[in-house]
Amino acid sequence: MSLKAFRGAFLDFIDDPFYVSEAESVRYFADGLLVLEDGKVKALGAYDSLQESYADIPVITYPDMLIMPGLIDTHIHFPQTEMIASYGEQLLEWLSKYTFPTEGKFKDKAYAQEIASFFLDELLKHGTTTALVFAAVYPESVDAFFEEASRRHLRMIAGKVLMDRNAPAFLVDTPETAYTESKQLIQKWHKHDRLLYAITPRFAVTSSDKQLQLAGQLLAEFPDVYMHTHLSENVKEVALVAELFPDSDGYLDVYDRAGLVGDKSVFAHGVQLTDAEFQRLSKARSAIAFCPTSNLFLGSGLFKLKQAKSVEYPVKVGFGTDVGGGTSFSMLQTSSEAYKVTQLRGQKLSAFQALFLATLGGAKALSLEETLGNFDPGKEADFIVVNPRATPLMARRNPTPIADSLEALADQMFATMILGDDRAIHATYIMGELAHGQSGVV
Ligand SMILES: [Zn+2]
């Protein structure tokens, strides 16, 4: 049994601030103590109330810092790391011009390993401790990713991309190879260490109906694996799906008919969803990955967050960076762009709502809320140390290091998400062990 503790200010969520008040959903200790046992949370409370019970264990103190659960990215592509910020196209042309040629390189396992390693280091540097990740079509790319994630002892979800049409020949599989290769990868990696598998059709445009049907069959065989795909991102894409599947009753229905819409299904984007599709996702308990930097960068549109988080038909929502369609690995920058998307819709997104989506909300979207997402006892201790005064500008905007009320904290965290990026992530811990630290952190 190995006990240790961290002292500092702590912020996490115990409920959803879209549906209950901040007083009921936000947990905050200006001077708190987090006690860990074997990499899991044993206790969190005010320092004064816990300190006596744990007087003899080592304590790491972070004065003037805020400790939060690790950030969760519910949609990202590791093979697109090196093509981030590619100019001038919308979704379908952007895929042909930049994405497909880049993903073709990932048949080379050594190359995939090098990029996976860089990618995971970037995630940790930005405070992201769990992500739902597209690999490439090649099983080697999945092996490379999971090997690197396993080496870092990370809780990651990923899968081989399925695509059997409307893509270059070097990048397509078949319905049968997609099925058998995915099955082998599930048997090899799902629940190995902290890793989990997602059956990953790229999107309806690049999968034949037969491939989607077989993917649905595989999901039925392994009901505790995930299903991860794209949905209703861009107007031209939605029109193309209607052309390719003339018998379907809309985009989501294409997946639904294949048995791919369930409570472990995560759909990226959903920018163009109809009311009926929102209702269907709510009923199926599926999740949407809201990817604001990507939706703005590719000119896809403004996600209807308020509709997704409605009282009548609530849909689980997490944030996705969608690198390389997205423009940053940072969940703070993603929160900042999400705020601007809601502003363009005449709505608001509070700092607490955004940080909920980036932590416990993301965990719920990935059905991991029993495992991580806040500091409840028994949860895996993946967490970050945030410096709200990381740059001269942030220090000027946040003159008081530790907020003394929820109102002051809301203001401080709003400025931190609007101005912050990887510089604000002072340290990242995985299962209670330091995995990334800015210079000076030991
Ligand atoms: Zn994507």
Side-chain angles (χ1 to χ4, degrees), residues 75-77 80 91 94-95 134 202 228-230 233 268-269 291 294 298 321-326:
H75 178 66
I76 186 165
H77 302 250
Q80 295 179 15
L91 176 65
W94 174 86
L95 282 170
F134 264 64
R202 178 181 288 281
H228 182 200
T229 190
H230 297 95
E233 178 172 359
H269 307 301
C291 308
S294 171
L298 293 175
T321 60
D322 195 28
V323 165

Side-chain angles (χ1 to χ4, degrees), residues 388 391-400 410-412 414-416 419:
T391 69
L393 179 61
M394 290 174 77
R396 195 160 283 270
R397 176 62 178 79
N398 286 328
T400 309
D411 179 60
Q412 182 190 60
F414 184 70
T416 300
L419 300 174

Side-chain angles (χ1 to χ4, degrees), residues 320-364:
T321 60
D322 195 28
V323 165
T327 53
S328 170
F329 280 83
S330 169
M331 297 306 291
L332 296 175
Q333 281 301 293
T334 301
S335 299
S336 172
E337 297 304 296
Y339 173 77
K340 295 169 196 170
V341 168
T342 61
Q343 281 284 61
L344 283 165
R345 285 205 166 274
Q347 298 156 8
K348 289 180 190 175
L349 175 68
S350 75
F352 290 139
Q353 288 171 334
L355 294 172
F356 168 79
L357 292 180
T359 56
L360 186 60
K364 285 173 184 268

Side-chain angles (χ1 to χ4, degrees), residues 136-263:
V137 73
Y138 315 108
E140 296 87 339
S141 69
V142 180
D143 286 335
F145 177 80
F146 278 141
E147 283 168 21
E148 288 300 317
S150 180
R151 187 166 299 152
R152 291 164 178 77
H153 203 36
L154 302 176
R155 185 160 292 285
M156 287 282 158
I157 313 168
K160 168 200 135 58
V161 173
L162 318 181
M163 49 196 305
D164 66 346
R165 64 172 174 175
N166 295 324
F170 61 84
L171 212 57
V172 294
D173 53 15
T174 69
E176 293 75 20
T177 59
Y179 174 89
T180 52
E181 288 172 356
S182 297
K183 190 169 183 168
Q184 284 164 2
L185 289 165
I186 289 168
Q187 287 163 340
K188 184 170 180 185
W189 291 111
H190 187 59
K191 296 187 173 170
H192 170 84
D193 199 3
R194 302 177 74 200
L195 308 172
L196 299 163
Y197 197 83
I199 297 167
T200 310
R202 178 181 288 281
F203 65 151
V205 171
T206 48
S207 284
S208 65
D209 192 41
K210 186 171 181 205
Q211 180 165 69
L212 294 175
Q213 296 292 337
L214 276 177
Q217 189 182 316
L218 188 60
L219 189 61
E221 285 175 51
F222 296 93
D224 69 340
V225 308
Y226 293 84
M227 202 292 297
H228 182 200
T229 190
H230 297 95
L231 172 67
S232 289
E233 178 172 359
N234 158 299
V235 171
K236 269 168 77 177
E237 170 212 14
V238 175
L240 182 55
V241 170
E243 242 174 71
L244 292 168
F245 296 88
D247 298 336
S248 73
D249 184 19
Y251 197 156
L252 182 63
D253 187 55
V254 171
Y255 296 132
D256 219 349
R257 287 178 185 209
L260 295 172
V261 181
D263 62 358

